[in-house]
Amino acid sequence: IVGVNTFRDPKGSPTVIPDEVIRSTTEEKDYAVDSVHAFEARNESRTPEQLQALQSSAIGGGNVFDTLLEASKVASLGQLSAALYSVGGQYRRNM
């Protein structure tokens, strides 16, 4: 099986491998994308201030977790990640 994570119990109990992988339908994917876009649109006036506070906290050694929790109320995961990448860089595995 490619692309499926399995858990191996260190105590030796058998690993359960699923018979099939269940994939989202196109409609489910579209709904998820549309939901994120609607969330971002609803909060577009408050998001820049929260993302700036998150970046300032990350640069200044503040409580990033607390600021991240507040920012997550108005910003999507993509927006949060981009804000943090812009001030802290992004990990790239050496291939």
Side-chain angles (χ1 to χ4, degrees), residues 33-47 74-80:
V33 170
D34 291 343
S35 294
V36 170
H37 289 157
F39 174 77
E40 291 175 347
R42 277 193 312 273
N43 296 299
E44 70 181 333
S45 65
R46 299 181 339 185
T47 303
V74 296
S76 68
L77 179 58
Q79 291 172 314
L80 296 168

Side-chain angles (χ1 to χ4, degrees), residues 11-91:
K11 297 178 184 167
S13 65
T15 299
V16 177
I17 299 176
D19 293 333
E20 65 178 301
V21 175
I22 299 171
R23 302 208 181 272
S24 299
T25 65
T26 301
E27 292 80 20
E28 290 169 328
K29 292 175 190 175
D30 290 342
Y31 176 77
V33 170
D34 291 343
S35 294
V36 170
H37 289 157
F39 174 77
E40 291 175 347
R42 277 193 312 273
N43 296 299
E44 70 181 333
S45 65
R46 299 181 339 185
T47 303
E49 179 183 343
Q50 290 296 323
L51 294 178
Q52 179 61 45
L54 178 60
Q55 291 172 322
S56 296
S57 182
I59 293 171
N63 186 345
V64 175
F65 186 74
D66 185 48
T67 313
L68 183 62
L69 287 178
E70 285 303 310
S72 69
K73 294 176 184 177
V74 296
S76 68
L77 179 58
Q79 291 172 314
L80 296 168
S81 297
L84 290 173
Y85 291 153
S86 71
V87 295
Q90 185 173 0
Y91 174 76

